[in-house]
Amino acid sequence: MPSASERLLTPTRAAGGVALLAFAAVALAYPSIAPNPYLLSVGIVVLNYAVLSTSWNFVGGFTGYISLGHGALAGLGAYGTGLLVTKAGLPSFVALAAAAVMVAVLAVPLGYAALRVRGASFVIVSIALVLVTLLVFQSWASFTGGSRGLNVPRPFPGLLRPEHHRVFFYLFLALLAVALLVWWLIDRSRFGLGLKAIREDEDKAEALGTPTFAYKLVVFVVSAFFTGLAGGLYALWFGDLDPIFQFSILTGSYMVLMALLGGVRNLFGPLVGALLVGSALEYFKVEFGNTPLHLVATGVLLALVVLFMPDGVLPALGALFRRFSPTTDSSIREVTAAELAAQRTGGDLHAQSRNG
Amino acid sequence: MPSGALLFQSVILGLLLGGLYALLAAGLTLYFGIMRVVMIAHSAFLILAAYLAWWSHTELGIDPLLSMVVTVPLFFGCGVLLQRLLLARLRAVTLTMMSVLLTFAIAVVIEGLLGYVFSGTQRRIQLGYGAASLELLGARIAVVKLIAFGLAGVALASLYLVMKKTTFGWALRATIQHRDAAKLVGIDTDRVAGYGFGLGLATAAVGGTALSLDTTIYPSLHWHWIGPLMAIIVVGGLGSVPGAAAAAMVLGLAQSLLQIELGTTWAQTVFYIALFLTLAVRPQGFFGGRLAQRF
Amino acid sequence: MRSLETVELTKAFGGNVVLDKTSVSFRHGKVNALIGPNGSGKTTFFNCVTGMIRPDSGRVTYGGTDITRRTPHVIARAGLGRTFQLCRVFPRMTVLDNVLAATRPHGVNLFRGARGRAEVDRARDWLTRLGIEHLAGAEARNLSWGQQKLLELAGVLMSEPETVLLDEPAGGVNPALLDRIGGLVRDLNAEGRTFVIVEHNMDLVMSISDHIVVFDRGRPIAEGPPSVIRTDERVLGAYLGV
């Protein structure tokens, strides 16, 4: 008998489907209903964040390995695209693809160093990546333009500014759809189940025969590829790169914040997080300009999410929704009170064994 | 080929810098030993201490060294609170990852507040003895660098004595080695862990004061410190204080020598190259490190 | 047919020698037990054999193949499945997914779903056999301790091991469940699976094992069928500290 939760249309699922359709409809219509080019460009920025945090979530969501360095991968995609166009004379979108492939290839040695051992090394490498790329791209001025920045020619020189925005809005939307599709495919696959096993208990997963290192490496490379694509597409759209912004530790932390806030176990978690945080970021930029308080707000928000809502808003909403429709998901409650008490101690023991 | 005197001077400067790295890396290692936490905010507190030293010098006119009378106990208290109120709340299963995010968030908040209160302007203490220097075999060594090294040395030595000679140090080492066993012999491991964090953060207060003596400071400077420091603790073998100290000296020396040919910016990459090579070739680090294999 | 063997396996933590040139050989197709006082190195032995920790020296062979210092997943795929001393399941996955996560073969293929009909049927068969099928949709962390132990076993069995290493299967379970686990081991053994069991519960060990190896301070001091071990003076000495 197939399990009920898989086949039946539960209220939670129905609500999710309606929300998705509504989002898709609004997103497709947005370029036509946006009142001015500025708001359209804000839409692009938010979409860019959504692609970035969804890409981040290939690693963060499936394996639980948190990278603070994905900003650098996006920056490499952007600079790779820009340099391939300006120095090698490649057509814009060929350069974009090539740059993303290069970022993915670079992710292999990075992942090799960072993923053989457990979590802490991965985080350290990810932060180091941002710091070292910033250093290199600022200092190697003869090649990268250094702090003066790099100008990337537009791919469609004939288009007027609003048209340019409109085209890129749809390009980003398409990229987001592809990233979500691949995440969804992994989520349902045996490979994805293995990755989630790594997130839950890596030793245990390996003892069951999961090739954990290879799995982590593959998903890291996939994540790097999409991150590189997003960065490159941004370069083609924005046209002006500065190492300070491209290799900023903040970009990476925005991705983490968005994914975490939305919910990393959720296909649409990073997208929801990007809509919330991305819009807020743009709003505050307009209202208050670029002040150091941006940093404070980001930090405080991140700390609050980590402390009080590590599963994100989507699961919280789901729980709220289920509370008002108490018809489904009752099978768990077959456990008795005595068993629940036993489970407490069992859980504690488990935590200790992980800790030791 | 650089002259012998220049080379000699670089070696001295490298060792002096290495001493400061060693002190700060010891703090990071302490946190990692206690809770398996990579404390990203360590260097943000370092810069905060440097700002406090600078502020007390320019606003109150007192010697920056005296600011430690306030900053060291203050940071100790912050460390205890940080551990007890924030890090202890995180779930054990995801502690390593979530603690990185939490301490990262704290680092960003400190950076933002420093920028807001003191603005992004670069600051530097102008000391009466700031320009004084010693000549030794043709090498010129600034007095302030010697003071900074002396501070780091004294702090490291005190840390060593506390760890090896006091009851608290014994309890702390027991907690680091085997938390459950420490609990069984009656150690209040939560309290000890809190004080351990306090001790770690106190090293940042000392380090920050030392740093303020001869360095231009600005709010985002902490990123230039946390990178090298993380590299040092990995190369040294996560969790090993002697390993971290040895790695700090070697890498500090390497950085100083490379500066002759490459300039300051490129010389910094030596840390990241060392980090990458260590993880690729010998993830448990080069100087021991019992814990490193699993993290 | 040769089974699991170690030759002079040695492991020390710091100066503490836990396994001291340990050479053991287990009987293929039988229920083997590994007993000994606390701290005699049984769990370290398991961890070295399954690749969770690297031995300092010595060799481990399985079916004649050298598996020393192989990574745990390679060893698992060679046919050695294991449970952990303090039972370990994937806490935030459903019971069914816990079992499905052990499905072979592993590999990167986006289009091979995790819940193919054949796998789900097989997973449910194991859950049924262990008596926890009714919990298939529950999250593993909501299970009782005993249920989690059964779930862990179901996962290991799903990975189709030839040889199953059980680390204290009776730890913390009630007498009724203990009987069930004992019976299950005998049944699975009758179907051709080899077992190596680390266990403190002597009643269980004596009632289900064919061959017992006794560890003391990191080396085997006696081995043989239960009837022999029960009367061996060295074993009594090791347990009573004589």
Side-chain angles (χ1 to χ4, degrees):
Chain A
M1 187 196 86
S3 90
S5 62
E6 267 174 70
R7 296 279 187 269
L8 290 181
L9 191 67
T10 64
T12 323
R13 276 166 177 252
V18 170
L20 177 61
L21 284 177
F23 171 78
V26 172
L28 285 170
Y30 185 77
S32 316
I33 52 179
N36 57 48
Y38 163 72
L39 278 180
L40 186 52
S41 76
V42 169
I44 296 176
V45 170
V46 172
L47 271 184
N48 182 35
Y49 279 133
V51 180
L52 286 174
S53 56
T54 302
S55 310
W56 178 92
N57 208 33
F58 280 98
V59 180
F62 285 127
T63 67
Y65 277 61
I66 286 179
S67 159
L68 282 162
H70 265 56
L73 296 174
L76 286 170
Y79 263 92
T81 307
L83 289 171
L84 283 173
V85 171
T86 53
K87 308 263 164 175
L90 288 184
S92 299
F93 289 94
V94 176
L96 171 64
V101 169
M102 274 158 57
V103 173
V105 170
L106 178 75
V108 175
L110 278 177
Y112 179 79
L115 290 166
R116 273 201 306 167
V117 275
R118 300 293 155 79
S121 312
F122 182 73
V123 181
I124 290 176
V125 169
S126 75
I127 296 176
L129 180 66
V130 180
L131 299 174
V132 77
T133 44
L134 176 61
L135 211 64
V136 169
F137 278 79
Q138 271 189 325
S139 311
W140 197 4
S142 60
F143 184 60
T144 65
S147 307
R148 281 177 291 114
L150 179 72
N151 243 307
V152 186
R154 291 194 176 177
F156 317 109
L159 285 188
L160 291 172
R161 196 168 191 83
E163 279 306 302
H164 178 77
H165 284 339
R166 176 189 288 266
V167 168
F168 270 91
F169 184 91
Y170 285 118
L171 283 172
F172 271 107
L173 198 59
L175 183 56
L176 176 65
V178 174
L180 287 171
L181 177 70
V182 174
W183 202 95
W184 179 76
L185 278 174
I186 293 181
D187 190 37
R188 327 178 54 243
S189 71
R190 193 181 290 178
F191 170 53
L193 192 57
L195 290 171
K196 284 179 263 181
I198 292 172
R199 173 182 73 198
E200 298 285 308
D201 185 339
E202 193 163 347
D203 282 334
K204 168 82 183 160
E206 205 170 10
L208 286 177
T210 314
T212 49
F213 172 61
Y215 271 33
K216 288 187 289 184
L217 190 57
V218 168
V219 87
F220 180 60
V221 169
V222 171
S223 171
F225 177 73
F226 278 108
T227 311
L229 272 182
L233 199 55
Y234 177 85
L236 292 179
W237 170 61
F238 198 69
D240 191 18
L241 303 177
D242 181 335
I244 288 277
F245 295 111
Q246 290 306 309
F247 301 102
S248 150
I249 193 94
L250 269 183
T251 316
S253 56
Y254 286 151
M255 290 187 219
V256 182
L257 177 59
M258 290 164 185
L260 222 57
L261 182 70
V264 294
R265 286 153 193 267
N266 232 291
L267 173 60
F268 300 110
L271 169 59
V272 171
L275 290 175
L276 293 174
V277 179
S279 331
L281 279 173
E282 290 304 307
Y283 173 77
F284 284 115
K285 209 177 272 170
V286 172
E287 288 294 309
F288 304 105
N290 242 330
T291 73
L293 289 180
H294 260 133
L295 287 170
V296 181
T298 306
V300 169
L301 193 54
L302 186 59
L304 289 177
V305 170
V306 166
L307 284 171
F308 301 109
M309 218 169 39
D311 286 337
V313 285
L314 278 188
L317 280 178
L320 199 69
F321 199 84
R322 267 193 296 279
R323 196 179 301 165
F324 293 110
S325 59
T327 46
T328 51
D329 296 342
S330 58
S331 66
I332 300 177
R333 292 298 141 217
E334 286 172 29
V335 275
T336 65
E339 282 171 333
L340 276 173
Q343 156 221 136
R344 292 275 142 65
T345 47
D348 287 345
L349 282 168
H350 188 88
Q352 275 169 22
S353 72
R354 292 289 313 253
N355 221 357
Chain B
M1 189 63 204
S3 73
L6 182 57
L7 216 54
F8 180 65
Q9 169 155 325
S10 290
V11 168
I12 302 280
L13 288 179
L15 291 176
L16 294 182
L17 182 63
L20 191 51
Y21 278 140
L23 173 66
L24 293 167
L28 271 186
T29 304
L30 206 54
Y31 311 124
F32 192 81
I34 296 168
M35 274 188 92
R36 313 289 180 269
V37 164
V38 181
M39 163 69 168
I40 307 290
H42 191 58
S43 59
F45 278 101
L46 171 82
I47 305 305
L48 176 61
Y51 263 97
L52 292 176
W54 165 81
W55 182 80
S56 58
H57 180 72
T58 47
E59 294 295 317
L60 310 176
I62 55 176
D63 192 280
L65 294 178
L66 284 176
S67 71
M68 283 195 295
V69 176
V70 176
T71 53
V72 170
L74 180 72
F75 277 38
F76 181 86
C78 285
V80 176
L81 291 179
L82 171 69
Q83 198 276 338
R84 298 303 296 273
L85 297 185
L86 296 179
L87 292 171
R89 298 179 59 106
L90 297 173
R91 282 203 301 262
V93 186
T94 50
L95 178 67
T96 302
M97 289 300 173
M98 288 301 162
S99 64
V100 168
L101 286 183
L102 194 55
T103 56
F104 175 87
I106 294 168
V108 171
V109 169
I110 292 177
E111 182 186 337
L113 287 177
L114 283 177
Y116 184 69
V117 175
F118 297 116
S119 86
T121 314
Q122 305 200 335
R123 310 287 184 177
R124 197 184 175 94
I125 291 181
Q126 301 300 333
L127 281 174
Y129 48 91
S133 63
L134 293 179
E135 283 241 3
L136 180 69
L137 300 173
R140 288 175 61 87
I141 311 297
V143 170
V144 283
K145 284 206 191 296
L146 284 174
I147 298 176
F149 181 77
L151 271 180
V154 170
L156 255 184
S158 335
L159 188 63
Y160 179 83
L161 287 177
V162 168
M163 294 289 281
K164 292 284 177 186
K165 302 285 176 191
T166 65
T167 321
F168 166 69
W170 167 80
L172 186 55
R173 278 181 294 138
T175 305
I176 289 173
Q177 272 170 23
H178 202 306
R179 195 154 184 155
D180 293 335
K183 236 178 238 161
L184 286 178
V185 298
I187 296 172
D188 183 349
T189 52
D190 290 340
R191 178 188 299 239
V192 167
Y195 289 164
F197 262 71
L199 216 50
L201 213 50
T203 67
V206 178
T209 310
L211 185 71
S212 73
L213 295 178
D214 76 325
T215 311
T216 304
I217 53 175
Y218 48 92
S220 64
L221 178 62
H222 68 111
W223 296 114
H224 290 281
W225 281 83
I226 197 65
L229 288 175
M230 290 188 310
I232 285 167
I233 61 169
V234 169
V235 174
L238 283 173
S240 157
V241 174
M249 293 315 258
V250 171
L251 290 175
L253 198 57
Q255 183 192 15
S256 181
L257 287 173
L258 286 173
Q259 272 178 6
I260 305 174
E261 289 292 328
L262 301 175
T264 48
T265 326
W266 285 103
Q268 265 221 339
T269 53
V270 70
F271 288 99
Y272 304 108
I273 293 166
L275 168 70
F276 184 80
L277 289 180
T278 305
L279 285 172
V281 178
R282 203 180 146 83
Q284 67 270 37
F286 283 99
F287 302 94
R290 187 174 52 85
L291 304 168
Q293 263 179 359
R294 294 185 47 77
F295 295 88
Chain C
M1 166 94 192
R2 296 163 74 191
S3 184
L4 182 63
E5 281 181 7
T6 65
V7 182
E8 305 215 323
L9 199 61
T10 302
K11 178 73 195 178
F13 294 109
N16 184 10
V17 181
V18 184
L19 293 177
D20 186 7
K21 294 188 176 164
T22 310
S23 301
V24 202
S25 147
F26 295 102
R27 303 279 187 274
H28 189 73
K30 303 287 184 196
V31 177
N32 301 270
L34 181 58
I35 64 171
N38 277 327
S40 58
K42 302 179 300 282
T43 291
T44 303
F45 180 80
F46 260 27
N47 284 338
C48 281
V49 166
T50 52
M52 307 301 293
I53 55 180
R54 295 165 75 91
D56 299 332
S57 63
R59 283 190 306 125
V60 183
T61 61
Y62 181 64
T65 317
D66 194 323
I67 54 166
T68 323
R69 293 192 189 82
R70 291 291 152 80
T71 54
H73 75 268
V74 172
I75 295 174
R77 272 191 270 182
L80 276 168
R82 71 166 292 179
T83 64
F84 288 86
Q85 188 171 20
L86 293 164
C87 154
R88 278 160 84 162
V89 295
F90 303 119
R92 299 187 59 178
M93 281 191 197
T94 65
V95 166
L96 185 63
D97 279 353
N98 257 273
V99 181
L100 285 171
T103 314
R104 303 278 166 83
H106 299 277
V108 180
N109 178 350
L110 299 194
F111 299 100
R112 186 170 59 202
R115 295 182 189 82
R117 178 171 284 265
E119 293 91 71
V120 171
D121 284 350
R122 223 155 56 76
R124 284 187 179 273
D125 285 348
W126 280 119
L127 289 175
T128 308
R129 187 152 181 196
L130 293 175
I132 48 175
E133 211 270 343
H134 59 291
L135 297 166
E139 271 198 5
R141 58 179 171 167
N142 291 335
L143 265 54
S144 73
W145 177 246
Q147 289 166 338
Q148 288 194 6
K149 294 211 93 153
L150 291 169
L151 174 57
E152 183 180 29
L153 192 55
V156 172
L157 291 167
M158 183 75 179
S159 71
E160 300 173 42
E162 251 185 345
T163 298
V164 186
L165 282 69
L166 301 179
D167 201 344
E168 300 197 8
V173 303
N174 63 46
L177 187 55
L178 197 63
D179 284 349
R180 216 159 101 202
I181 291 176
L184 202 65
V185 169
R186 292 287 356 164
D187 290 350
L188 291 164
N189 173 243
E191 290 163 20
R193 278 186 196 79
T194 306
F195 278 87
V196 180
I197 301 173
V198 163
E199 186 49 70
H200 283 295
N201 185 321
M202 282 307 129
D203 291 338
L204 181 71
V205 168
M206 293 298 166
S207 65
I208 65 171
S209 12
D210 304 303
H211 183 77
I212 299 178
V213 178
V214 187
F215 262 31
D216 187 33
R217 285 171 221 153
R219 39 193 346 170
I221 54 165
E223 58 180 294
S227 55
V228 174
I229 296 298
R230 199 173 274 143
T231 55
D232 192 301
E233 288 182 5
R234 284 166 303 180
V235 177
L236 285 172
Y239 267 95
L240 302 174
V242 181

